[in-house]
Amino acid sequence: MSVLVYTEFENGKFKKNAHEVASYAYEVASKMGTTVTAVAINANSPESLGDYGVTKVINVQNEDLKTFNAKAYANTIAQVSAKENATIIILSSSADTKFLAPMLTAQLKAGYVPNVVAAPESTSPFQVKRTVFSNKGFAITQLDTDVKIIGVSNNAFGSVENKTDATVEDFAPDLAEEAFTTKSIEIDKVVGKATIADADIVVSGGRGLKGPENWGMIEELAEVLGAATACSKPVSDLGWRPHGEHVGQTGKPVASNLYIAIGISGAIQHLAGVSASKVKVVINTDPEAPFFKAADYGVVGDAFEVVPQLIEKLKEFKAQNA
Amino acid sequence: MKILVCLSNVPDTTSKINFTDNDTKFDTTGVQFVINPNDEFGLTRAMWFKEKQGATVHVATVGEASTEPTIRKALAIGADEAIRVNAFPEDGFFVAEQLAEIAKKGNYDLIIAGRESIDYNGGMVPGIMATLLEMNFVNTCISLEVDGNNATAIREIDGGKEKISTTLPLIIGGQKGLVAESDLRIPNMRGIMMARKKKLSVVEPISAPKATKDIKFEKPAPKGQVKLVDANNLDELINLLHNEAKAI
Ligand SMILES: Cc1cc2nc3c(=O)[nH]c(=O)nc-3n(C[C@H](O)[C@H](O)[C@H](O)COP(=O)(O)OP(=O)(O)OC[C@H]3O[C@@H](n4cnc5c(N)ncnc54)[C@H](O)[C@@H]3O)c2cc1C
Ligand SMILES: Nc1ncnc2c1ncn2[C@@H]1O[C@H](COP(=O)(O)O)[C@@H](O)[C@H]1O
């Protein structure tokens, strides 16, 4: 009974989180003295997962699964899980995977623990550490079900290479029409730009930037750093930026390597959603702004002076380190 | 159309989080409980369906008697009837089983739940219910229109959004965006008075297994002092981010 991991494939390659969850699965499998089997849907070069410790890939190629459909994907993973007698299933925290996870949970009568930040504390009983209260705390949670599903937080475990030879086995799921009763009719997605969910760096602006016309420098800073752009809640409520950029407790969670907050005061709801980021930088005119208590590095200064200079200096730095 | 809104009762977003009983329990001392923000957007959308499309709106919560003020608030905002399953909501699968039972009895066309509860961040109750009830499901839903038996929803995806067409019966995991922030309602005096006369049934839980349990809680390690960099010395910031933090 290997550990089963669902590795997401998108736009011609495995997603960054696919390598991360494979690495996590390898760690769990090592602790339990077993191997890792991955399930990949419409992926090219599935054998490349061997780089991250996967020894077998269940390769699903199916025209009906070209566009993500949560129920059909959950059914597919459930069938693979049954065929492989999997008792431990590792998932990522992407929006798509968090959509299918509870359906998979119900189908397999499993226990599901999302937002897990570390390898299991113990595998018998099975206990994992997860964030609760929107990053304001952690819980050690025990799973007592036969099938256990672990959702790994973005960027919490990291990708670890473990070169193995992966065998690839084709599998054709049996998908009834009922699996497709929700239909995707339009996808509106930025292409070629980092997303808040998987960017290494996120540059975020708050009400201190005064108006939407001032976002040029935020976008430029993000571009220099290859970062995703984000904003505080009032900024999206005011319509300065799209809702999809709102981060925090009631917006998207951020768990990047670097989070740069510009003109953001650091309200508790904002911090709750971004505190999982590893390194936090704040740029704010007010030295008393609460964000300074939560940040690693801070600049007390006017964003309109600091950010343009920072962009220039980063360009020089990038040129030298290219 | 008959709508069920699932309400989770959670600490106010400004709450300080502490644990008690040797870090095995959440310390509710001094904590103010509110309708889960994701559910508040859903409840407000349900009010829209009630007022514009003649829907009937029931709300349900799995919780002990202490959750009744939250339910009363939903009634004061305009829900027609409330159901409380008298159990402590310790586990997502258990809660979903309870709500699915309520949903079966009530024959709802549309169930509105939230993307996640902001307390334990499970993000699983609506998806599990959808499977148990064999209903269509759209998660992280930011827009919902219903026309007869057809529904059009928009869901947030990583890096954008997706428009989905489906049919009732449907369950959604909703969030901010379902209605405008400015449409959220504060109960008025009349609503509060009317809520007192509305039906709030209390039912006992069905037996269902608990899939997970929390053994112990921890608070994040206290944060070290921030390193301040002079606004005229941004080279130093770049140096720190590159050499010390290894973040660029
Ligand atoms: C139920 C609920 C949920 C919420 N959820 C969220 C959430 O998920 N995410 C979220 O972000 N908020 C959330 N909030 C809102 C939160 O409480 C704050 O109101 C919000 O985060 C403040 O946004 P801000 O920091 O951009 O604006 P402000 O608090 O107005 O701060 C602006 C900052 O900019 C600084 N500034 C001004 N001029 C300059 C300049 N020229 N250069 C540099 N700095 C400057 C100021 O010193 C100030 O610190 C929520 C609130 C509630 C009640
Ligand atoms: N105890 C509960 N009572 C009623 N609804 C709940 C309860 N817990 C969760 N829900 C619903 O399920 C959604 C997701 O919750 P969760 O899976 O706990 O993150 C919430 O936004 C609610 O709509």
Side-chain angles (χ1 to χ4, degrees):
Chain A
M1 264 177 290
S2 342
V3 171
L4 187 69
V5 58
Y6 167 50
T7 43
E8 281 172 285
F9 187 90
E10 202 180 74
N11 301 329
K13 54 177 197 281
F14 281 103
K15 289 179 72 172
K16 190 175 98 182
N17 73 41
H19 294 152
E20 185 168 19
V21 288
S23 308
Y24 185 95
Y26 181 81
E27 171 83 13
V28 177
S30 307
K31 279 194 174 206
M32 302 182 71
T34 179
T35 54
V36 179
T37 299
V39 45
I41 298 176
N42 292 330
N44 309 332
S45 56
E47 67 286 349
S48 68
L49 291 171
D51 291 349
Y52 295 88
V54 173
T55 47
K56 178 163 133 192
V57 185
I58 306 292
N59 178 32
V60 177
Q61 297 290 339
N62 184 314
E63 273 301 312
D64 296 336
L65 300 176
K66 278 274 184 271
T67 307
F68 176 78
N69 177 300
K71 191 174 182 185
Y73 272 49
N75 290 354
T76 301
I77 300 168
Q79 288 172 31
V80 171
S81 161
K83 181 178 96 68
E84 296 290 312
N85 282 316
T87 55
I88 295 177
I89 304 173
I90 311 294
L91 303 176
S92 78
S93 288
S94 73
D96 285 353
T97 298
K98 281 201 161 182
F99 187 178
L100 69 82
M103 292 195 269
L104 181 64
T105 300
Q107 287 186 33
L108 299 175
K109 299 268 171 261
Y112 169 45
V113 181
N115 310 318
V116 169
V117 291
E121 311 259 311
S122 136
T123 54
S124 172
F126 205 93
Q127 295 180 343
V128 282
K129 183 173 179 173
R130 63 170 174 142
T131 57
V132 288
F133 297 97
S134 312
N135 292 311
K136 292 183 199 170
F138 296 102
I140 305 296
T141 303
Q142 180 168 319
L143 290 110
D144 294 321
T145 45
D146 292 339
V147 179
K148 303 169 180 69
I149 303 179
I150 305 299
V152 183
S153 277
N154 284 335
N155 212 12
F157 188 77
S159 295
V160 186
E161 287 201 27
N162 286 292
K163 289 212 183 284
T164 337
D165 279 330
T167 57
V168 176
E169 182 184 312
D170 291 336
F171 177 74
D174 178 14
L175 297 168
E177 229 168 275
E178 296 81 73
F180 297 96
T181 49
T182 58
K183 291 189 176 53
S184 177
I185 47 179
E186 192 183 320
I187 292 177
D188 174 5
K189 193 168 172 174
V190 282
V191 277
K193 198 175 163 239
T195 68
I196 293 170
D198 54 24
D200 283 329
I201 305 178
V202 174
V203 174
S204 189
R207 200 148 53 181
L209 291 169
K210 314 282 191 285
E213 66 281 6
N214 298 326
W215 245 263
M217 62 180 190
I218 300 295
E219 287 186 330
E220 195 180 348
L221 178 59
E223 202 185 308
V224 177
L225 290 166
T229 50
C231 68
S232 67
K233 177 168 179 285
V235 165
S236 67
D237 289 343
L238 289 162
W240 297 357
R241 298 296 292 178
H243 281 293
E245 281 199 3
H246 158 208
V247 296
Q249 192 167 17
T250 53
K252 285 203 167 71
V254 184
S256 52
N257 281 331
L258 175 61
Y259 181 74
I260 305 181
I262 303 165
I264 297 176
S265 58
I268 189 164
Q269 300 95 347
H270 185 88
L271 294 177
V274 306
S275 65
S277 292
K278 300 216 165 70
V279 180
K280 289 173 280 281
V281 175
V282 54
I283 299 170
N284 196 308
T285 40
D286 175 10
E288 302 297 320
F291 213 121
F292 283 100
K293 291 208 171 63
D296 302 280
Y297 303 102
V299 179
V300 179
D302 184 340
F304 297 98
E305 289 163 18
V306 174
V307 176
Q309 283 187 50
L310 188 59
I311 292 169
E312 287 317 309
K313 289 187 185 295
L314 278 167
K315 280 185 183 161
E316 286 166 29
F317 167 81
K318 291 276 170 188
Q320 280 162 18
N321 288 267
Chain B
M1 179 166 54
K2 227 179 140 191
I3 303 177
L4 179 69
V5 182
C6 302
L7 298 179
S8 159
N9 180 60
V10 299
D12 169 29
T13 56
T14 57
S15 306
K16 296 262 187 304
I17 302 301
N18 290 301
F19 303 105
T20 175
D21 288 20
N22 206 12
D23 287 333
T24 58
K25 279 200 177 67
F26 170 53
D27 186 358
T28 56
T29 316
V31 171
Q32 174 97 30
F33 281 85
V34 296
I35 299 177
N36 184 38
N38 291 316
D39 305 346
E40 199 180 346
F41 290 106
L43 176 66
T44 313
R45 188 63 188 160
M47 289 300 109
W48 188 93
F49 285 122
K50 175 178 162 153
E51 285 154 18
K52 299 285 198 302
Q53 300 188 354
T56 307
V57 178
H58 291 180
V59 296
T61 201
V62 179
E64 294 173 313
S66 60
T67 62
E68 288 199 2
T70 299
I71 308 173
R72 288 279 173 210
K73 183 176 171 199
L75 292 171
I77 284 172
D80 300 298
E81 222 181 284
I83 304 143
R84 177 171 72 82
V85 180
N86 188 29
F88 183 71
E90 206 191 333
D91 168 69
F93 211 123
F94 172 85
V95 169
E97 294 262 17
Q98 304 308 323
L99 293 169
E101 183 68 15
I102 302 293
K104 264 183 229 155
K105 289 197 178 124
N107 240 320
Y108 298 96
D109 307 292
L110 174 65
I111 301 180
I112 300 181
R115 162 191 91 179
E116 70 169 22
S117 304
I118 63 161
D119 51 3
Y120 294 94
N121 313 114
M124 67 180 86
V125 168
I128 295 175
M129 284 174 75
T131 304
L132 296 176
L133 294 163
E134 296 181 13
M135 286 173 90
N136 289 321
F137 174 47
V138 176
N139 206 8
T140 55
C141 184
I142 54 173
S143 158
L144 177 66
E145 305 285 347
V146 176
D147 180 8
N149 203 36
N150 297 317
T152 308
I154 299 177
R155 78 167 177 114
E156 211 165 71
I157 56 178
D158 291 334
K161 41 196 176 180
E162 178 185 26
K163 196 177 209 176
I164 288 178
S165 107
T166 186
T167 51
L168 304 182
L170 169 69
I171 178 160
I172 65 160
Q175 62 178 48
K176 192 184 103 149
L178 268 183
V179 295
E181 188 82 16
S182 53
D183 289 339
L184 295 177
R185 300 171 185 200
I186 298 161
N188 58 25
M189 210 31 159
R190 184 161 169 272
I192 294 169
M193 297 302 287
M194 287 189 22
R196 290 196 189 145
K197 297 198 199 85
K198 287 179 179 169
K199 186 167 158 201
L200 192 170
S201 349
V202 179
V203 300
E204 289 307 314
I206 56 164
S207 101
K210 289 187 178 140
T212 62
K213 59 173 179 271
D214 294 323
I215 306 294
K216 213 168 172 64
F217 293 98
E218 279 170 28
K219 295 230 291 183
K223 186 91 202 154
Q225 269 275 304
V226 61
K227 269 196 189 162
L228 289 181
V229 176
D230 194 284
N232 298 313
N233 190 10
L234 294 173
D235 288 319
E236 176 62 6
L237 180 64
I238 292 172
N239 173 34
L240 287 167
L241 289 177
H242 183 61
N243 293 313
E244 187 178 82
K246 312 229 178 293
I248 59 171

